[in-house]
Amino acid sequence: MEYEYLSRKSAADFCKVSIRTIDRWIVDGRIDSFKPDGCSRVLIIKDSLSRENLSSPKPKY
């Protein structure tokens, strides 16, 4: 299965929230993200940005 990845800024634009909110959601485990090897950039899996996932008490990936 191939995933589509977004940067933190693109994810913030997609959800119409600030980058700080995206950072909070990452820390809370609400969205699925990772850092590629040897890179400081954070990539977010677009499928984890569903409305159901962000509003539910227990996120589903």
Side-chain angles (χ1 to χ4, degrees), residues 3-58:
Y3 292 109
E4 185 175 347
Y5 303 106
L6 299 174
S7 66
R8 289 171 37 237
K9 170 118 176 69
S10 297
D13 292 342
F14 180 77
C15 293
K16 297 181 179 134
V17 297
S18 69
I19 294 173
R20 176 85 172 111
T21 301
I22 294 295
D23 291 339
R24 276 191 234 117
W25 287 346
I26 291 170
V27 170
D28 291 345
R30 295 212 153 277
I31 56 179
D32 197 13
S33 66
F34 70 98
K35 285 186 179 181
D37 290 337
C39 187
S40 61
R41 184 177 185 177
V42 175
L43 295 178
I44 297 164
I45 297 174
K46 188 174 180 179
D47 291 343
S48 70
L49 295 174
S50 68
R51 183 174 304 278
E52 175 189 354
N53 191 30
L54 297 175
S55 63
S56 69
K58 196 171 198 181

